[in-house]
Amino acid sequence: MAAGAPRIFVSHLSGVPVFDPNGDQVGRVRDLVAMLRVGGRPPRILGLVVEVVSRRRIFLPMTRVTGVEGGQVITTGVVNMRRFEQRPTERLVLGELLDRRVKLVEGGEEVTVLDVAIQQLPARRDWEIDKIFVRKGKGGALRRRGETLTVEWSAVTGFSLEEHGQGAESLLATFEQLRPADLANVLHHLTPKRRAEVASALDDDRLADVLEELPEDDQIEILGKLKEERAADVLEAMDPDDAADLLSELPADDQERLLTLMQPEDAADVRRLLSYEENTAGGLMTTEPIVLRPDATVADALARVRQADLSPALAAQVYVCRPPDETPTGKYLGTVHFQRLLRDPPFTLVSSIVDADLPPLRPDASLPAVTSYLAAYNMVAVPVVDESGSLLGAVTVDDVLDHLLPDDWRETDFHSEEATGRGQ
């Protein structure tokens, strides 16, 4: 960039694609790495943390950045794919500087950092933090009403101190559009203290979705730092099978205490799942498939399938059962596949188009048996039925994959190489 290049606020860089000179996408920006300097000098931007396709995070030095414009970053094409490891002298701009409480040098008033601007130095490839966008007033719900202003880096103090009780609103705003799996990746790379602060700022549903995508150690750590009442609320918002998997990792006393705090109907589903062996159909299944009575119509079924919170695997078929239509249901009659719903008139009764030829699985069916069933019949979900013929739940292909992959597969995706260092 030439001298006089425009100032760039880092919140606008979050998630932007990174391309090589040939136009091939390398990954997406997840953070910036800065080094604080003495004497009030603006921090130097060392590089970008870029998430590549495998979710590995690599370090891209600013010396390799040839352009930051038009919602994209262009590199020289020489990218070191070694895993990024933060050094003690470095700060993550999005992860550690936003939402901090700092003081204005003039007057000593406390302000909250909402954003940070960077600019390239004239005739050089070096970048540094140029301005700080802050809001006056105390933290908390009323903070948004305070006056906002943009100041020089030298006009504030307090970035070098450890932050206690740091908020997370500005950081979350930069990642608002991320999918749960990608936001989970962001949380995984934060410090434990910052991870707890961000988790605390997420609403229950969003945190539940993110927890389902985190490695077990992170799940347990985050849940353990929540107040027990809130932890129970988050567990209620999780899919029952994921909640059961998480609770199964806790000591029996903690497990029972949280189950007692949950709503009775939610706790009952989770308790039922905990009663099955882990690697069986009962231990793998969700208790919330789409269940319809025989007198429901195709239109009713399509309305249920369209629910936004359903996973694609669960939305691929509906299960027809006699009342009651909550699991465990009345007698299981069969399955209607999504494609069949699209072929029949809306007024058609689902009982007239059920596929009753495919046998359901018993809850004690082993993981290999479930896998073979899905593969043999090209299914993405399979019904689980007890000895009396009642539908207990359904096992989806994504649940099976979770258990077929190594126990640390999420961790392997997050940490794909043991090598560290800075490419230049």
Side-chain angles (χ1 to χ4, degrees):
M1 258 187 202
R7 182 176 299 121
I8 301 171
F9 281 93
V10 297
S11 62
H12 299 160
L13 287 177
S14 172
V16 304
V18 179
F19 295 96
D20 65 19
N22 297 323
D24 295 324
Q25 184 169 337
V26 176
R28 289 185 178 274
V29 175
R30 291 304 181 211
D31 217 319
L32 294 85
V33 182
M35 182 176 68
L36 301 183
R37 297 192 281 189
V38 298
R41 298 169 62 197
R44 179 186 171 207
I45 300 297
L46 302 178
L48 307 174
V49 179
V50 177
E51 183 179 300
V52 295
V53 175
S54 65
R55 289 191 187 169
R56 180 192 315 171
R57 289 187 165 207
I58 65 171
F59 178 75
L60 176 64
M62 293 306 288
T63 54
R64 299 294 186 189
V65 175
T66 59
V68 183
E69 53 192 16
Q72 60 186 17
V73 173
I74 308 298
T75 77
T76 60
V78 181
V79 178
N80 190 327
M81 297 301 289
R82 288 181 295 184
R83 177 170 59 88
F84 166 69
E85 288 256 349
Q86 185 179 356
R87 294 172 176 173
T89 57
E90 298 171 346
R91 297 292 182 270
L92 297 177
V93 178
L94 292 173
E96 298 181 61
L97 301 190
L98 298 194
D99 299 298
R100 288 186 71 96
R101 297 287 290 167
V102 295
K103 290 185 177 180
L104 296 176
V105 173
E106 185 176 346
E109 181 178 359
E110 276 203 345
V111 294
T112 302
V113 178
L114 302 181
D115 211 342
V116 172
I118 63 172
Q119 195 166 35
Q120 190 174 21
L121 299 179
R124 298 172 63 185
R125 285 193 177 181
D126 284 346
W127 293 70
E128 66 180 23
I129 292 180
D130 179 43
K131 303 281 186 180
I132 311 293
F133 182 54
V134 299
R135 175 179 286 120
K136 292 184 177 181
K138 296 181 179 180
L142 298 179
R143 186 168 63 192
R144 295 186 178 278
R145 300 177 184 177
E147 175 191 355
T148 58
L149 63 157
T150 302
V151 298
E152 301 285 344
W153 172 268
S154 58
V156 298
T157 182
F159 279 105
S160 61
L161 302 176
E162 182 179 355
E163 176 71 19
H164 298 281
Q166 186 175 356
E169 289 82 0
S170 299
L171 175 62
L172 288 178
T174 65
F175 296 119
E176 186 177 3
Q177 302 303 318
L178 289 184
R179 294 188 176 190
D182 295 325
L183 182 53
N185 196 20
V186 171
L187 259 67
H188 179 78
H189 287 89
L190 297 176
T191 63
K193 169 186 165 296
R194 194 71 175 116
R195 184 157 52 239
E197 290 162 347
V198 173
S200 179
L202 291 169
D203 64 54
D204 292 347
D205 289 336
R206 180 74 158 156
L207 180 55
D209 290 340
V210 171
L211 278 178
E212 292 172 1
E213 303 296 338
L214 281 168
E216 283 181 359
D217 289 346
D218 288 345
Q219 289 181 326
I220 295 169
E221 173 197 301
I222 290 173
L223 197 71
K225 291 182 178 179
L226 299 176
K227 292 182 178 179
E228 286 190 341
E229 292 78 6
R230 175 145 198 246
D233 291 341
V234 172
L235 287 167
E236 289 171 5
M238 295 176 69
D239 289 338
D241 53 326
D242 290 307
D245 288 344
L246 175 50
L247 283 171
S248 68
E249 300 299 322
L250 302 181
D253 290 346
D254 295 342
Q255 184 183 118
E256 183 57 35
R257 191 162 54 251
L258 289 170
L259 283 167
T260 302
L261 290 170
M262 292 172 65
Q263 292 294 324
E265 59 272 20
D266 294 313
D269 285 341
V270 175
R271 288 182 190 277
R272 184 149 52 89
L273 291 170
L274 287 170
S275 69
Y276 297 110
E277 293 293 330
E278 181 180 359
N279 290 323
T280 63
L284 296 171
M285 70 183 179
T286 177
T287 57
E288 298 179 344
I290 303 176
V291 178
L292 293 172
R293 299 186 180 191
D295 58 352
T297 65
V298 166
D300 296 327
L302 289 174
R304 294 284 300 278
V305 166
R306 282 197 291 268
Q307 292 178 2
D309 57 347
L310 281 175
S311 69
L314 279 181
Q317 59 275 304
V318 300
Y319 303 102
V320 182
C321 306
R322 299 198 183 280
D325 49 11
E326 297 283 339
T327 58
T329 69
K331 182 176 175 57
Y332 167 73
L333 300 178
T335 299
V336 182
H337 306 284
F338 177 64
Q339 284 184 320
R340 182 63 189 267
L341 293 174
L342 295 177
R343 291 198 298 264
D344 282 89
F347 53 81
T348 305
L349 296 180
V350 292
S351 56
S352 68
I353 56 173
V354 293
D355 182 353
D357 294 335
L358 291 178
L361 289 178
R362 297 295 187 211
D364 57 355
S366 66
L367 177 59
V370 177
T371 306
S372 299
Y373 185 105
L374 292 170
Y377 297 115
N378 296 318
M379 303 286 284
V380 294
V382 52
V384 180
V385 172
D386 65 13
E387 292 180 356
S388 67
S390 298
L391 180 71
L392 300 176
V395 180
T396 60
V397 67
D398 53 320
D399 292 322
V400 171
L401 286 174
D402 280 349
H403 288 75
L404 287 178
L405 292 167
D407 290 340
D408 62 346
W409 74 268
R410 295 184 192 276
E411 193 72 13
T412 303
D413 272 350
F414 289 138
H415 299 292
S416 27
E417 287 188 6
E418 291 304 318
T420 63
R422 294 280 181 271
Q424 297 294 333

